[in-house]
Amino acid sequence: MNRLGQWLTKHRNAFHLGLLTLTLIVSGYANQQRVTAASSTVSIPVVETAAQPLSPLESCRQQRDQEALRDIAALEALVNQPLLDEATREAAADQLAVLVSDRQAQSALESALSGSSLHPCVAVVSNGIVTIVTEKSAVTEKDSALVLTLAAAHVGASPENVRIITAES
């Protein structure tokens, strides 16, 4: 035992360093086990995700639809206003019917063009004038003929009242 005491005295720093290293390893392992056992998974519900940036056409479509809904609400309020004279209410009802008809024509045109080479596109119908806005950079004669045929069928628009606007325009 005397030899062990002399050896520990002689190599005291190395012994302390080894003992400190062993203590750190054991306490680190014990702490890791404690954290792993104590941690539990928490499910955080996602309420809203970041909105994807809208394409210019989709932005145009949304703006068009919001304006139409505001116009429809205003016209409905006029039609349902009993204090207004009959002529004003009839004019509001006529304008409401035209607005609803234009919205249906826009929807029909966009649906009909969804399978064409002009897709994606936005249709705007107002007073018998049809405007098609497309992301396509060039319009072929086939595309023009298709749009003219659809505009005549859905809106009754003549060729001079049909416009096709490309993304490059």
Side-chain angles (χ1 to χ4, degrees):
M1 180 85 171
N2 195 7
R3 261 176 97 105
L4 180 63
Q6 287 177 351
W7 186 83
L8 284 176
T9 304
K10 187 174 182 182
H11 300 292
R12 172 176 69 203
N13 289 339
F15 174 72
H16 284 269
L17 187 61
L19 189 60
L20 179 63
T21 303
L22 181 64
T23 304
L24 283 173
I25 290 171
V26 169
S27 67
Y29 178 75
N31 188 39
Q32 180 68 26
Q33 294 301 319
R34 183 185 58 84
V35 168
T36 303
S39 71
S40 61
T41 358
V42 177
S43 177
I44 300 174
V46 177
V47 177
E48 184 176 331
T49 59
Q52 297 294 326
L54 295 177
S55 71
L57 284 181
E58 189 58 36
S59 176
C60 176
R61 179 179 290 117
Q62 285 184 359
Q63 181 180 0
R64 177 200 67 195
D65 291 344
Q66 288 172 353
E67 288 173 2
L69 290 175
R70 281 194 300 268
D71 291 346
I72 288 172
L75 288 169
E76 285 176 342
L78 285 174
V79 169
N80 295 326
Q81 186 64 255
L83 301 176
L84 289 177
D85 61 299
E86 191 64 31
T88 304
R89 289 177 34 204
E90 284 180 17
D94 292 342
Q95 185 63 33
L96 181 60
V98 168
L99 187 59
V100 169
S101 174
D102 286 350
R103 281 184 48 101
Q104 289 173 342
Q106 288 169 174
S107 178
L109 284 169
E110 287 176 1
S111 295
L113 291 170
S114 66
S116 74
S117 63
L118 292 173
H119 186 73
C121 63
V122 174
V124 179
V125 177
S126 178
N127 299 323
I129 297 173
V130 176
T131 304
I132 304 292
V133 183
T134 180
E135 286 185 354
K136 192 173 179 182
S137 59
V139 178
T140 65
E141 286 184 24
K142 182 180 175 185
D143 294 333
S144 296
L146 175 65
V147 170
L148 290 174
T149 303
L150 291 173
H154 292 286
V155 183
S158 58
E160 64 270 5
N161 290 331
V162 178
R163 294 172 186 81
I164 302 173
I165 300 173
T166 62
E168 307 290 316
S169 296

